[in-house]
Coordinates of all heavy atoms in Angstrom, one line a residue:
M1 N 37.2 104.1 78.9 CA 37.1 105.5 78.7 C 37.9 105.9 77.5 O 39.0 105.4 77.3 CB 37.7 106.3 79.9 CG 37.4 107.8 79.8 SD 37.9 108.7 81.2 CE 37.3 107.9 82.6
D2 N 37.4 106.7 76.6 CA 38.1 107.2 75.4 C 39.2 108.0 75.7 O 39.1 109.0 76.5 CB 36.9 107.9 74.6 CG 37.6 108.4 73.3 OD1 38.6 107.9 72.8 OD2 37.1 109.3 72.6
N3 N 40.3 107.7 75.1 CA 41.7 108.5 75.4 C 41.7 109.7 74.6 O 42.7 110.4 74.8 CB 42.8 107.5 75.3 CG 43.2 107.1 76.7 OD1 42.8 107.4 77.7 ND2 44.3 106.2 76.6
T4 N 40.8 110.0 73.6 CA 41.0 111.1 72.8 C 41.0 112.4 73.5 O 41.9 113.3 73.4 CB 39.9 111.2 71.7 OG1 39.9 110.0 71.0 CG2 40.1 112.4 70.8
F5 N 40.2 112.6 74.5 CA 40.0 113.7 75.3 C 41.5 113.9 76.0 O 42.0 115.0 76.1 CB 38.9 113.6 76.4 CG 38.9 114.8 77.4 CD1 38.2 116.0 76.9 CD2 39.5 114.8 78.5 CE1 38.1 117.0 77.7 CE2 39.4 115.9 79.4 CZ 38.8 117.1 78.9
A6 N 42.0 112.9 76.8 CA 43.1 112.9 77.5 C 44.3 113.4 76.7 O 45.1 114.2 77.1 CB 43.4 111.6 78.3
K7 N 44.5 112.7 75.6 CA 45.6 113.1 74.7 C 45.5 114.5 74.2 O 46.5 115.1 74.2 CB 45.5 112.1 73.4 CG 46.0 110.6 73.8 CD 45.8 109.8 72.5 CE 46.0 108.3 72.8 NZ 45.7 107.5 71.7
N8 N 44.3 114.9 73.7 CA 44.2 116.3 73.3 C 44.5 117.3 74.5 O 45.1 118.3 74.3 CB 42.9 116.5 72.7 CG 42.7 116.0 71.4 OD1 43.7 115.7 70.6 ND2 41.4 115.6 71.0
L9 N 44.0 117.0 75.6 CA 44.3 117.8 76.7 C 45.8 118.1 76.9 O 46.3 119.3 77.1 CB 43.7 117.3 78.0 CG 43.3 118.2 79.3 CD1 42.5 119.3 78.7 CD2 42.7 117.5 80.2
K10 N 46.5 116.9 76.9 CA 48.0 117.1 77.1 C 48.6 117.8 75.8 O 49.6 118.7 76.0 CB 48.6 115.7 77.2 CG 50.1 115.7 77.5 CD 50.7 114.3 77.7 CE 52.1 114.3 78.1 NZ 52.6 113.1 78.5
K11 N 48.2 117.6 74.7 CA 48.7 118.1 73.4 C 48.5 119.6 73.6 O 49.5 120.4 73.2 CB 48.1 117.5 72.2 CG 48.6 118.1 70.9 CD 47.8 117.5 69.8 CE 46.3 118.0 69.7 NZ 45.6 117.6 68.4
F12 N 47.4 120.1 73.8 CA 47.1 121.5 74.0 C 48.0 122.2 75.0 O 48.4 123.3 74.7 CB 45.6 121.8 74.1 CG 44.8 121.4 73.0 CD1 43.5 120.9 73.2 CD2 45.1 121.4 71.7 CE1 42.7 120.3 72.2 CE2 44.4 121.0 70.6 CZ 43.1 120.5 70.9
R13 N 48.2 121.4 76.1 CA 48.9 122.1 77.2 C 50.4 122.3 76.8 O 51.0 123.3 77.0 CB 48.9 121.2 78.5 CG 49.7 121.7 79.6 CD 49.7 120.9 80.8 NE 50.1 119.5 80.7 CZ 51.4 119.1 80.6 NH1 52.4 119.8 80.7 NH2 51.7 117.8 80.5
L14 N 50.9 121.1 76.1 CA 52.3 121.3 75.7 C 52.5 122.3 74.6 O 53.5 122.9 74.6 CB 52.8 119.8 75.2 CG 52.8 118.7 76.3 CD1 53.1 117.5 75.7 CD2 53.9 119.1 77.3
A15 N 51.5 122.4 73.8 CA 51.5 123.5 72.7 C 51.8 124.9 73.2 O 52.2 125.7 72.6 CB 50.3 123.4 71.7
K16 N 51.1 125.1 74.5 CA 51.2 126.4 75.1 C 52.4 126.5 76.0 O 52.7 127.5 76.7 CB 49.9 126.6 75.9 CG 48.7 126.9 75.1 CD 48.8 128.4 74.6 CE 47.5 128.7 73.8 NZ 47.6 130.0 73.3
N17 N 53.2 125.4 76.1 CA 54.4 125.4 77.0 C 54.1 125.5 78.4 O 54.8 126.1 79.1 CB 55.5 126.3 76.5 CG 56.1 126.0 75.2 OD1 56.4 124.8 74.9 ND2 56.3 126.9 74.2
Y18 N 52.9 125.0 78.9 CA 52.5 125.1 80.3 C 52.8 123.8 80.9 O 52.8 122.8 80.3 CB 51.0 125.2 80.3 CG 50.4 126.5 79.9 CD1 49.1 126.6 79.4 CD2 51.0 127.7 79.9 CE1 48.5 127.8 78.9 CE2 50.5 128.9 79.5 CZ 49.2 129.0 79.1 OH 48.6 130.1 78.7
T19 N 53.2 123.9 82.2 CA 53.4 122.7 82.9 C 52.1 122.4 83.5 O 51.1 123.1 83.6 CB 54.5 122.9 84.1 OG1 54.0 124.0 85.0 CG2 55.9 123.4 83.5
Q20 N 52.0 121.1 84.1 CA 50.8 120.7 84.8 C 50.6 121.6 86.0 O 49.5 121.9 86.3 CB 50.9 119.2 85.2 CG 50.7 118.3 84.1 CD 50.9 116.9 84.5 OE1 51.2 116.5 85.6 NE2 50.3 115.9 83.6
E21 N 51.7 121.9 86.6 CA 51.6 122.9 87.8 C 51.0 124.2 87.5 O 50.2 124.7 88.1 CB 53.0 123.0 88.4 CG 52.9 123.7 89.8 CD 54.3 123.8 90.4 OE1 55.3 123.3 89.9 OE2 54.3 124.2 91.7
Q22 N 51.4 124.8 86.3 CA 50.9 126.0 85.9 C 49.4 126.0 85.6 O 48.6 126.9 85.9 CB 51.7 126.6 84.7 CG 53.1 127.0 84.9 CD 53.8 127.3 83.7 OE1 53.7 126.5 82.6 NE2 54.6 128.3 83.7
V23 N 49.0 124.9 84.9 CA 47.6 124.8 84.6 C 46.8 124.6 85.9 O 45.7 125.2 86.1 CB 47.4 123.5 83.7 CG1 45.9 123.2 83.6 CG2 48.0 123.7 82.4
A24 N 47.3 123.7 86.8 CA 46.7 123.6 88.1 C 46.5 124.8 89.0 O 45.4 125.0 89.4 CB 47.4 122.6 89.0
D25 N 47.5 125.7 88.9 CA 47.4 127.0 89.6 C 46.3 127.8 88.9 O 45.5 128.5 89.7 CB 48.8 127.8 89.6 CG 49.8 127.2 90.5 OD1 49.4 126.3 91.3 OD2 51.0 127.4 90.3
R26 N 46.3 127.8 87.6 CA 45.3 128.7 86.9 C 43.8 128.1 87.1 O 42.9 128.9 87.0 CB 45.6 128.8 85.5 CG 46.9 129.6 85.2 CD 47.2 129.8 83.8 NE 48.6 130.4 83.7 CZ 49.0 131.1 82.6 NH1 48.2 131.1 81.5 NH2 50.2 131.6 82.6
M27 N 43.8 126.8 87.2 CA 42.4 126.2 87.3 C 42.0 126.0 88.8 O 40.9 125.5 89.1 CB 42.5 124.8 86.7 CG 42.8 124.9 85.2 SD 41.6 125.8 84.2 CE 40.1 124.8 84.5
N28 N 42.8 126.4 89.8 CA 42.6 126.2 91.1 C 42.2 124.8 91.5 O 41.3 124.4 92.3 CB 41.4 127.1 91.6 CG 41.8 128.6 91.6 OD1 42.9 128.9 91.9 ND2 40.8 129.4 91.2
V29 N 43.0 123.9 91.0 CA 43.0 122.4 91.3 C 44.5 122.1 91.7 O 45.4 122.9 91.4 CB 42.4 121.6 90.2 CG1 41.0 122.0 89.9 CG2 43.3 121.7 89.0
N30 N 44.7 120.8 92.2 CA 46.0 120.4 92.4 C 46.6 119.8 91.2 O 45.9 119.3 90.2 CB 46.1 119.6 93.7 CG 45.5 118.4 93.6 OD1 45.4 117.6 92.5 ND2 44.7 117.9 94.6
M31 N 48.0 119.6 91.1 CA 48.6 119.1 90.0 C 48.2 117.6 89.8 O 48.1 117.2 88.6 CB 50.2 119.2 90.2 CG 50.9 119.0 88.9 SD 52.7 119.3 89.2 CE 53.2 117.9 90.1
Q32 N 47.9 116.9 90.7 CA 47.4 115.5 90.5 C 46.2 115.5 89.8 O 45.9 114.6 89.0 CB 47.4 114.8 91.8 CG 48.7 114.4 92.5 CD 49.3 115.7 93.3 OE1 48.6 116.7 93.5 NE2 50.6 115.6 93.6
T33 N 45.3 116.4 89.9 CA 44.1 116.5 89.3 C 44.3 116.7 87.8 O 43.7 115.9 86.9 CB 43.1 117.6 89.7 OG1 42.9 117.4 91.1 CG2 41.9 117.7 88.9
V34 N 45.2 117.6 87.4 CA 45.5 117.8 86.0 C 46.2 116.4 85.5 O 45.9 116.2 84.3 CB 46.5 119.0 85.8 CG1 46.9 119.0 84.4 CG2 45.9 120.3 86.3
S35 N 47.0 115.7 86.2 CA 47.7 114.6 85.7 C 46.5 113.6 85.4 O 46.7 112.8 84.5 CB 48.6 114.1 86.9 OG 49.2 112.9 86.4
R36 N 45.7 113.5 86.3 CA 44.6 112.4 86.2 C 43.7 112.7 85.0 O 43.4 111.8 84.2 CB 43.6 112.4 87.4 CG 44.4 111.7 88.6 CD 43.3 111.6 89.7 NE 44.1 111.4 91.0 CZ 44.1 112.3 92.1 NH1 43.3 113.4 92.0 NH2 44.8 112.1 93.0
W37 N 43.5 114.1 84.6 CA 42.7 114.3 83.5 C 43.5 114.0 82.3 O 42.9 113.3 81.3 CB 42.6 116.0 83.4 CG 41.6 116.4 84.4 CD1 40.7 115.8 85.2 CD2 41.6 117.8 84.7 NE1 40.1 116.8 86.0 CE2 40.5 118.0 85.7 CE3 42.3 119.0 84.3 CZ2 40.2 119.2 86.2 CZ3 41.8 120.2 84.8 CH2 40.9 120.4 85.7
E38 N 44.8 114.1 82.2 CA 45.7 113.9 81.1 C 45.9 112.4 80.9 O 46.2 111.9 79.8 CB 46.9 114.5 81.1 CG 46.8 116.1 81.0 CD 48.1 116.9 80.8 OE1 49.2 116.3 81.0 OE2 48.1 118.1 80.7
C39 N 45.8 111.6 82.0 CA 46.1 110.1 81.9 C 44.7 109.5 81.6 O 44.6 108.2 81.3 CB 46.6 109.6 83.3 SG 48.2 110.1 83.6
G40 N 43.5 110.3 81.6 CA 42.3 109.6 81.4 C 41.6 108.9 82.6 O 40.6 108.2 82.4
T41 N 42.3 109.1 83.7 CA 41.7 108.4 85.0 C 40.3 109.1 85.4 O 39.5 108.4 85.8 CB 42.8 108.6 86.0 OG1 44.0 108.1 85.6 CG2 42.3 107.8 87.3
T42 N 40.4 110.4 85.3 CA 39.2 111.2 85.6 C 39.0 112.2 84.6 O 39.8 112.5 83.7 CB 39.3 111.9 87.0 OG1 40.3 112.7 86.9 CG2 39.4 111.0 88.1
L43 N 37.8 112.8 84.6 CA 37.5 113.9 83.6 C 37.1 115.1 84.4 O 36.6 115.1 85.4 CB 36.2 113.6 82.8 CG 36.4 112.4 81.7 CD1 35.1 112.0 81.2 CD2 37.4 112.8 80.8
P44 N 37.4 116.3 83.8 CA 37.1 117.7 84.5 C 35.6 117.7 84.5 O 34.9 117.3 83.6 CB 37.7 118.7 83.6 CG 38.3 118.0 82.4 CD 38.2 116.5 82.6
D45 N 35.1 118.5 85.4 CA 33.7 118.9 85.6 C 33.3 119.6 84.4 O 34.2 120.3 83.7 CB 33.6 119.7 86.8 CG 32.1 120.1 87.1 OD1 31.7 121.0 86.5 OD2 31.4 119.3 87.8
V46 N 32.1 119.4 83.9 CA 31.5 120.0 82.7 C 31.7 121.5 82.8 O 31.8 122.2 81.8 CB 30.2 119.6 82.5 CG1 29.1 120.2 83.5 CG2 29.7 120.0 81.1
M47 N 31.6 122.3 84.0 CA 31.8 123.7 84.1 C 33.4 124.1 83.9 O 33.6 125.2 83.6 CB 31.2 124.1 85.5 CG 29.8 123.8 85.7 SD 28.7 124.4 84.4 CE 28.7 126.1 84.9
T48 N 34.1 123.2 84.0 CA 35.6 123.4 83.8 C 36.0 123.4 82.4 O 37.0 124.1 82.0 CB 36.4 122.4 84.6 OG1 36.0 122.4 86.0 CG2 37.9 122.6 84.5
L49 N 35.3 122.7 81.5 CA 35.8 122.6 80.1 C 35.9 123.9 79.4 O 36.9 124.1 78.8 CB 34.7 121.6 79.4 CG 34.8 120.2 79.8 CD1 33.7 119.4 79.1 CD2 36.2 119.6 79.7
P50 N 35.0 124.8 79.5 CA 35.1 126.2 78.8 C 36.3 126.9 79.4 O 36.9 127.6 78.6 CB 33.8 126.9 79.0 CG 32.8 125.9 79.5 CD 33.6 124.7 80.2
I51 N 36.5 126.8 80.6 CA 37.8 127.5 81.2 C 39.0 126.9 80.6 O 39.9 127.6 80.2 CB 37.7 127.3 82.7 CG1 36.4 128.0 83.3 CG2 38.9 128.1 83.5 CD1 36.1 127.8 84.8
L52 N 39.1 125.6 80.5 CA 40.3 124.9 80.0 C 40.4 125.2 78.5 O 41.5 125.6 78.0 CB 40.2 123.4 80.1 CG 40.5 122.7 81.4 CD1 40.2 121.4 81.4 CD2 42.1 122.9 81.6
A53 N 39.3 125.4 77.8 CA 39.3 125.7 76.4 C 40.0 127.1 76.2 O 40.7 127.4 75.3 CB 38.0 125.5 75.8
R54 N 39.4 128.1 77.0 CA 39.9 129.4 76.9 C 41.5 129.5 77.3 O 42.1 130.2 76.6 CB 39.2 130.3 77.9 CG 38.0 130.9 77.3 CD 37.3 132.1 78.0 NE 37.1 131.8 79.5 CZ 36.0 131.2 79.9 NH1 35.0 130.9 79.1 NH2 35.9 130.9 81.2
L55 N 41.9 128.8 78.3 CA 43.3 128.7 78.7 C 44.1 128.1 77.6 O 45.3 128.7 77.3 CB 43.4 127.8 79.8 CG 44.9 127.6 80.5 CD1 45.4 128.9 80.9 CD2 44.8 126.6 81.6
Y56 N 43.7 127.3 76.8 CA 44.5 126.7 75.7 C 44.2 127.2 74.4 O 44.8 127.0 73.3 CB 44.2 125.2 75.6 CG 44.8 124.4 76.8 CD1 44.1 123.2 77.2 CD2 45.8 124.8 77.6 CE1 44.5 122.4 78.4 CE2 46.3 124.2 78.7 CZ 45.6 122.9 79.1 OH 46.1 122.2 80.2
G57 N 43.2 128.1 74.2 CA 42.9 128.9 73.0 C 42.2 127.9 72.0 O 42.4 128.1 70.8
V58 N 41.4 126.9 72.5 CA 40.8 126.1 71.6 C 39.2 126.1 72.0 O 38.7 126.8 72.9 CB 41.3 124.6 71.8 CG1 42.7 124.6 71.4 CG2 41.1 124.1 73.2
T59 N 38.4 125.3 71.3 CA 37.0 125.1 71.6 C 36.9 123.8 72.5 O 37.7 122.9 72.4 CB 36.1 125.1 70.4 OG1 36.4 123.7 69.6 CG2 36.2 126.1 69.5
V60 N 35.7 123.8 73.2 CA 35.5 122.5 73.9 C 35.4 121.4 73.0 O 35.8 120.3 73.2 CB 34.2 122.7 74.7 CG1 33.7 121.3 75.4 CG2 34.3 123.7 75.8
D61 N 34.8 121.5 71.8 CA 34.7 120.4 70.8 C 36.2 119.9 70.4 O 36.3 118.7 70.2 CB 34.0 120.9 69.6 CG 32.5 121.1 69.8 OD1 32.0 120.5 70.7 OD2 31.8 121.7 68.9
D62 N 37.1 120.8 70.4 CA 38.5 120.4 69.9 C 39.0 119.3 71.0 O 39.9 118.5 70.5 CB 39.5 121.6 70.1 CG 39.2 122.5 68.8 OD1 38.6 122.1 67.8 OD2 39.5 123.7 69.0
F63 N 38.7 119.3 72.2 CA 39.1 118.3 73.1 C 38.7 116.9 72.6 O 39.3 115.8 73.0 CB 38.6 118.5 74.6 CG 39.1 119.7 75.2 CD1 38.3 120.7 75.9 CD2 40.4 119.9 75.2 CE1 38.8 121.8 76.4 CE2 41.0 121.1 76.0 CZ 40.1 122.0 76.5
Y64 N 37.5 116.7 71.9 CA 37.1 115.5 71.6 C 37.3 115.0 70.1 O 36.9 114.0 69.7 CB 35.5 115.4 71.8 CG 35.1 115.6 73.3 CD1 34.9 116.9 73.7 CD2 35.2 114.6 74.2 CE1 34.6 117.1 75.1 CE2 35.0 114.8 75.5 CZ 34.7 116.0 76.0 OH 34.4 116.3 77.2
K65 N 38.0 115.8 69.4 CA 38.3 115.6 68.0 C 39.5 114.7 67.9 O 40.5 114.9 68.5 CB 38.6 116.8 67.2 CG 37.3 117.7 67.1 CD 37.5 118.9 66.2 CE 36.3 119.8 66.1 NZ 36.6 121.0 65.5
E66 N 39.4 113.6 67.0 CA 40.5 112.8 66.7 C 41.7 113.5 66.0 O 41.5 114.5 65.3 CB 40.1 111.6 65.7 CG 39.2 110.6 66.5 CD 39.9 109.6 67.4 OE1 41.1 109.5 67.2 OE2 39.3 109.2 68.3

């Protein structure tokens, strides 16, 4: 699995000074889910991507850019 997505997800979260717990609360998922996304173990559902993008103030495409 390409790690670009996972790295960017973590980078954008840290840029907003959010904890994994804060993101999990806002996304209505558990903290382990956010951790798995950032480790590249799993990917968020396609319907979740625009919500994450809005939360981080980026576009969905930004998650996949090197």
Side-chain angles (χ1 to χ4, degrees):
M1 188 180 310
D2 181 20
N3 260 356
T4 301
F5 178 86
K7 288 178 188 174
N8 284 336
L9 201 60
K10 183 173 183 176
K11 177 180 74 172
F12 296 142
R13 177 179 60 78
L14 293 175
K16 289 287 188 178
N17 292 315
Y18 292 151
T19 65
Q20 287 182 342
E21 187 174 11
Q22 289 171 319
V23 172
D25 288 344
R26 292 178 186 204
M27 299 299 298
N28 291 323
V29 297
N30 62 45
M31 197 172 72
Q32 289 79 15
T33 299
V34 176
S35 176
R36 286 185 202 115
W37 294 342
E38 291 185 0
C39 290
T41 306
T42 62
L43 292 171
D45 183 271
V46 69
M47 301 302 285
T48 303
L49 293 176
I51 300 166
L52 278 168
R54 273 193 304 276
L55 179 63
Y56 294 150
V58 298
T59 67
V60 171
D61 287 344
D62 290 334
F63 291 131
Y64 298 96
K65 292 180 182 173
E66 290 281 335

